[in-house]
Amino acid sequence: MDLGISGKKALVCASSKGLGRGCAEMLAAEGVHLVLNARGAETLDATAEAIRATHGVTVTPVAADITTEEGRARVLEAAGDVDILVNNAGGPPPGSWQDWERDDFIAALDANMLTPIALIKALVPGMMARGWGRVVNITSQSVKAPIPVLGLSNAARAGLTGYVAGTSRQVAGKGVIINNLLPGIHATDRAVSLDRGVSEQEGITMDEAKTRRAATIPAGRYGTPQEFGAACAFLCSQHAGFIVGQNLLLDGGAVNATL
Ligand code: NAP
């Protein structure tokens, strides 16, 4: 299927590795030019070079912390007008509901709610003026089914989801389509670090920790960044113009719910 987005330009935040990189790769495979972002310049530059070499698209890497005002300003300046925005950032740390203080919530809200909102506010008006745009926010399965130790993530991502539900319906008439992608467990560094935590806490090997977690997923395995990126590319495609303000769960069936 031709996604009809060859020649468009996308800003993919937090994309030197993992799910963000998966999205960038699949957009590049469709001929989309990219602005990539992460804090670490070395991995980011290597990813940019690999995508350029494989797909022949223009790739502009911007090393910056997307959760800071200064970092966003640098990314937005380098990006200019874009047709597609993929919002992503690292997730908040795990913990316990009694322990989080105001500053912990503010940091989580800044990273996983207010940063994507700031980028939507900066870039969607231009998309509306040009009559076409796509925004995909990488959130989490925790929006549908809370993960107890990730209360900061449960809270911040629910806030973004509410904002998107209202905003997406106000901009769709101008050709701008906003949706959320909800990852379950995917084979990225984040999953490795969660498995390492379990392995250390319970005195089991990493393989045992991974096997145990995979067994909780009906698909029997972790998702891949490529699968995730393919869903993202579809939501950024010409064919997604009637999918507005939705929350697409990519979790191998892990959330046990009818709807
Ligand atoms: P990952 O493999 O650790 O990759 C994270 C990427 O984001 C890296 O490129 C990292 O590069 C960049 N990044 C992190 N913080 C950043 C910041 N402040 N500014 C700019 N770039 C930043 O993580 P992932 O698994 O792809 O996860 C992506 C998001 O999905 C996270 O919010 C995570 O909580 C969520 N999620 C993941 C899973 C999963 O199973 N993987 C499940 C549910 C939700 P630098 O470190 O160099 O900045």
Side-chain angles (χ1 to χ4, degrees):
M1 184 192 288
D2 177 3
L3 297 189
I5 49 177
S6 182
K8 302 264 188 213
K9 182 163 83 167
L11 166 58
V12 186
C13 302
S15 53
S16 66
K17 297 188 299 187
L19 302 180
R21 178 172 178 162
C23 296
E25 298 254 13
M26 297 309 267
L27 288 168
E30 295 299 319
V32 174
H33 304 296
L34 298 173
V35 178
L36 300 187
N37 153 258
R39 291 163 303 181
E42 202 176 318
T43 308
L44 180 65
D45 288 345
T47 296
E49 187 45 44
I51 293 178
R52 249 181 239 125
T54 308
H55 300 291
V57 294
T58 306
V59 186
T60 306
V62 188
D65 184 340
I66 200 68
T67 67
T68 67
E69 214 170 307
E70 187 268 334
R72 282 192 297 279
R74 283 202 288 123
V75 170
L76 287 168
E77 193 185 348
D81 289 336
V82 301
D83 308 295
I84 295 167
L85 165 64
V86 179
N87 272 317
N88 186 30
S96 172
W97 64 272
Q98 308 106 305
D99 297 337
W100 296 309
E101 301 296 345
R102 185 171 192 279
D103 285 351
D104 302 310
F105 282 102
I106 296 297
L109 293 172
D110 262 340
N112 299 113
M113 178 183 171
L114 299 176
T115 289
I117 290 174
L119 292 170
I120 286 170
K121 285 177 65 184
L123 294 170
V124 164
M127 296 178 189
M128 291 169 78
R130 294 187 297 279
W132 197 94
R134 298 286 184 265
V135 179
V136 171
N137 303 297
I138 299 180
T139 65
S140 171
Q141 66 179 357
S142 69
V143 170
K144 294 237 185 206
I147 301 169
V149 295
L150 292 180
L152 294 171
S153 170
N154 300 338
R157 297 185 198 279
L160 175 64
T161 305
Y163 174 83
V164 166
T167 304
S168 58
R169 289 164 170 90
Q170 295 172 65
V171 303
K174 299 283 185 199
V176 181
I177 300 300
I178 312 181
N179 288 291
N180 303 318
L181 274 182
L182 285 54
I185 300 298
H186 283 71
T188 68
D189 285 4
R190 168 107 172 150
V192 171
S193 81
L194 291 175
D195 287 341
R196 187 171 300 117
V198 172
S199 136
E200 285 168 6
Q201 229 170 33
E202 306 202 7
I204 56 176
T205 66
M206 282 286 284
D207 270 352
E208 282 168 333
K210 188 172 174 186
T211 305
R212 203 189 279 181
R213 191 192 301 270
T216 67
I217 303 170
R221 64 175 177 86
Y222 291 3
T224 69
Q226 291 74 20
E227 290 170 312
F228 190 86
C232 176
F234 182 79
L235 286 181
C236 295
S237 76
Q238 297 292 356
H239 310 297
F242 210 52
I243 305 174
V244 174
Q246 297 302 300
N247 292 283
L248 178 59
L249 194 55
L250 295 173
D251 70 340
V255 172
N256 190 28
T258 303
L259 286 175

